[in-house]
Amino acid sequence: PTVMGEMPPAPKGAEWADPPTVVERSAFRFDGVGTLPLGYYHVFVVSAAGGATRQLTGGDYHHAGPIAWSADSSELFFSGNRHENAELDPRNTEIYTVSAGGGEVRALTDRQGPDGAVTISPNGRMLAWLGYDDHQLSYNNQGVYVMETAGGEPREIKTRLDRSISGLAWDGNSRSLFISYEDQGLIRLARLSMDGNVAVVASDLGGLSLGRPYSAAGFSAGGPGVYAYTSGNTHQPAELTVGRGSKSRQVTALNANSLEQLELAEVKEFEVESNHDGLQIQYWVAYPPGFDAQKQYPLLLEIHGGPFLAYGPHFAAEIQLFAAAGYVVVYANPRGSSGYGADFALQIHHNYPSEDYDDLMSVVDDVIDGGYIDKDQLYVTGGSGGGVLTAWIVGSTDRFRAAVVAKPVINWISFALSADLPAFFSRYWFPAMPWEDPMAYWKRSPLSLAGNVTTPTMLLTGEEDWRTPMWESEQFYQALKLQGVDTALVRVPGASHSIAKRPSQLIAKVSAILAWFDKYSE
């Protein structure tokens, strides 16, 4: 760290305290990392036989992988942001190349927007990468771009797919690509031709999010038409599946011994029209083991974060634990979720939270209409963006007996100016800076509704969370305390925004939530 000013020598026998440190960067800490070291990420090479490393990039710029080697190993291709205003425009990355022997770093792209995840075709003739034109929207569909390694203009492979491409790999024949994308709670693997034809080869990708049912998966490509991916479902975390063409087979059963002896919650998919405007909302219900539709059960609404993420029919330890405790667990993809097209996601552009509240209440009403829910035993929780919506819900209705708001944003102004991505949130999630239009921030802040809250509400956040820092939770906690609302603040030591990253933290999180709900059950 750098310091400001100089201290005189310490008197004999005295020991000066550590000097104050100076921060001169916009992003000086990051969630899960803490204070960022001074310096930048650069590209280095080292002989496969070992030896000294050689730095190929320089300057006050960050560079990022993956790194693609040319077929003759003479060049490297990577992404980075070498623009003069890189610190305040972090999304504006380009594809660069540099000789393996060092020299000039050349930009191959030049547009406002991100370009990254570059990969080179097996025959070495083509580059492919992911990106989009940045118009300062809070959500964008990411597309696939290609260009010849020998030079030329980048070209987007246009498709009719209104989905964001999240994964990319060349097919072994160098004539097509494998892509992955979210689609209505699922992750699909498809082959993409150079003329934009999309042919799905698998739709059971998943399994990488163990705690909650997020759509998350990984894949890779091998020889012509050969691929491997993580597969999963509501009763199975990630396993490895391999395939060729349209045929695939699961080759591992890593969790069979642990899960086959357990009675897991059955999960079913539903759809309902939002009571706001008739928009179709997809949701899932996890039923307690031994479920009997003739009985009455408490309902637990669990809300995903993001907000531009999605839940789906995937294994989730937290959902299973809630169901095992006797709750009918409901989770949904309200407007703003990914996997339903750009228009669906942009319903909450500069408008979050908003009508996504109506979507969630429509889901709850639809489940109640099934006749097996005790309407006096409704509970709600969610983390990050789900914490925002949970706090918004208790400020908008008193229908829930208790709530747990996990790692939320409570005050958009304090959040935008103190979270770990200050150059991002105001630029993309709001129409102006906080001092230019403070009411745009305030009217979307759950703190503005704190005076309405009567629901017993617990806050739960990691003490080392720099994405939604602890002071966000503390503001809501103190506001409820001042009003005499039953509340508690659970601080998880050592936890970042990934509050349940360690197994013991996941157990502690679920135990705290269930204990709070049990306290207010009949």
Side-chain angles (χ1 to χ4, degrees):
T2 59
V3 298
M4 187 72 73
E6 295 184 8
M7 294 288 290
K12 185 177 180 179
E15 182 178 345
W16 286 146
D18 290 337
T21 59
V22 180
V23 172
E24 297 181 296
R25 298 170 292 169
S26 175
F28 61 92
R29 63 187 172 204
F30 196 76
D31 185 67
V33 177
T35 300
L36 295 172
L38 294 176
Y40 298 87
Y41 291 103
H42 289 291
V43 178
F44 294 78
V45 291
V46 63
S47 169
T53 60
R54 187 155 37 88
Q55 184 173 336
L56 300 183
T57 61
D60 294 343
Y61 311 110
H62 282 302
H63 305 81
I67 295 173
W69 282 88
S70 64
D72 62 2
S73 299
S74 65
E75 282 186 282
L76 295 88
F77 302 89
F78 50 91
S79 65
N81 188 338
R82 295 173 63 88
H83 297 287
E84 187 174 335
N85 64 337
E87 183 181 24
L88 297 180
D89 193 9
R91 274 191 174 181
N92 192 23
T93 57
E94 310 293 352
I95 302 299
Y96 296 94
T97 183
V98 67
S99 168
E104 179 189 6
V105 177
R106 295 187 298 113
L108 301 180
T109 59
D110 182 19
R111 55 100 173 261
Q112 182 66 38
D115 293 286
V118 64
T119 181
I120 195 166
S121 61
N123 63 15
R125 297 175 183 172
M126 297 287 292
L127 293 174
W129 66 92
L130 299 175
Y132 57 83
D133 293 324
D134 187 356
H135 299 294
Q136 290 192 217
L137 298 174
S138 53
Y139 176 87
N140 297 269
N141 276 343
Q142 193 163 236
V144 178
Y145 293 79
V146 293
M147 72 178 296
E148 295 182 5
T149 53
E153 290 296 317
R155 173 179 71 88
E156 183 179 7
I157 301 179
K158 298 285 189 178
T159 73
R160 296 182 178 179
L161 188 67
D162 182 18
R163 298 291 185 268
S164 185
I165 310 303
S166 57
L168 179 69
W170 282 96
D171 193 349
N173 59 22
S174 295
R175 296 191 300 271
S176 61
L177 293 148
F178 285 109
I179 59 172
S180 62
Y181 60 92
E182 280 184 308
D183 182 38
Q184 298 184 337
L186 300 173
I187 298 183
R188 303 190 192 277
L189 178 66
R191 183 178 285 107
L192 173 66
S193 68
M194 292 296 104
D195 61 3
N197 181 59
V198 177
V200 175
V201 298
S203 296
D204 61 335
L205 281 71
L208 291 190
S209 180
L210 185 65
R212 293 190 281 167
Y214 283 113
S215 299
F219 82 93
S220 64
V226 177
Y227 52 87
Y229 60 88
T230 59
S231 59
N233 55 50
T234 57
H235 291 89
Q236 174 187 287
E239 299 291 353
L240 182 63
T241 293
V242 297
R244 183 167 191 167
S246 60
K247 296 182 179 180
S248 62
R249 62 186 178 89
Q250 183 177 313
V251 295
T252 63
L254 303 174
N255 299 286
N257 291 340
S258 300
L259 296 177
E260 285 180 353
Q261 59 184 318
L262 301 176
E263 184 180 359
L264 297 176
E266 181 182 8
V267 179
K268 291 185 178 180
E269 178 186 321
F270 299 90
E271 197 170 65
V272 66
E273 289 186 357
S274 173
N275 60 31
H276 175 72
D277 55 6
L279 191 65
Q280 292 295 121
I281 304 300
Q282 188 179 25
Y283 72 93
W284 292 263
V285 177
Y287 299 94
F291 174 76
D292 182 351
Q294 304 304 312
K295 296 182 179 179
Q296 295 282 286
Y297 292 87
L299 179 149
L300 194 163
L301 174 65
E302 211 284 339
I303 308 171
H304 76 65
F308 302 107
L309 293 173
Y311 277 163
H314 309 294
F315 181 85
E318 294 184 37
I319 299 298
Q320 291 291 338
L321 288 168
F322 291 142
Y327 293 88
V328 169
V329 188
V330 182
Y331 60 93
N333 286 337
R335 69 190 66 205
S337 301
S338 53
Y340 300 86
D343 288 345
F344 188 92
L346 289 171
Q347 293 282 321
I348 63 168
H349 177 60
H350 296 174
N351 188 38
Y352 166 72
S354 58
E355 292 81 22
D356 38 3
Y357 163 82
D358 302 292
D359 301 342
L360 292 170
M361 293 306 99
S362 301
V363 167
V364 170
D365 292 338
D366 199 48
V367 178
I368 290 174
D369 287 345
Y372 51 83
I373 297 299
D374 181 347
K375 292 184 288 186
D376 294 326
Q377 292 284 338
L378 306 181
Y379 303 86
V380 60
T381 188
S384 194
V388 175
L389 279 165
T390 302
W392 192 264
I393 284 170
V394 296
S396 303
T397 180
D398 62 358
R399 69 187 304 190
F400 293 91
R401 291 187 67 87
V404 176
V405 175
K407 51 186 181 182
V409 176
I410 294 300
N411 180 341
W412 284 110
I413 292 179
S414 60
F415 165 80
L417 297 176
S418 61
D420 61 351
L421 297 170
F424 174 82
F425 294 113
S426 291
R427 183 184 181 102
Y428 292 98
W429 286 12
F430 289 90
M433 291 295 163
W435 53 91
E436 296 170 339
D437 189 1
M439 289 309 298
Y441 290 75
W442 180 247
K443 69 182 181 181
R444 300 296 173 203
S445 296
L447 188 59
S448 70
L449 303 179
N452 302 336
V453 179
T454 59
T455 304
T457 301
M458 183 173 80
L459 286 301
L460 188 153
T461 301
E463 290 190 329
E464 295 181 13
D465 187 333
W466 299 119
R467 181 62 44 81
T468 54
M470 178 63 77
W471 49 78
E472 292 296 310
S473 295
E474 290 172 347
Q475 289 179 67
F476 209 57
Y477 169 74
Q478 295 293 0
L480 300 187
K481 272 290 186 183
L482 292 171
Q483 294 187 107
V485 177
D486 284 358
T487 186
L489 177 62
V490 176
R491 308 170 66 98
V492 184
S496 66
H497 197 62
S498 300
I499 197 169
K501 189 173 183 179
R502 297 180 62 180
S504 58
Q505 291 173 333
L506 187 151
I507 295 169
K509 174 189 173 184
V510 173
S511 296
I513 293 171
L514 290 175
W516 184 256
F517 290 164
D518 184 64
K519 180 179 179 180
Y520 295 97
S521 64
E522 291 184 343

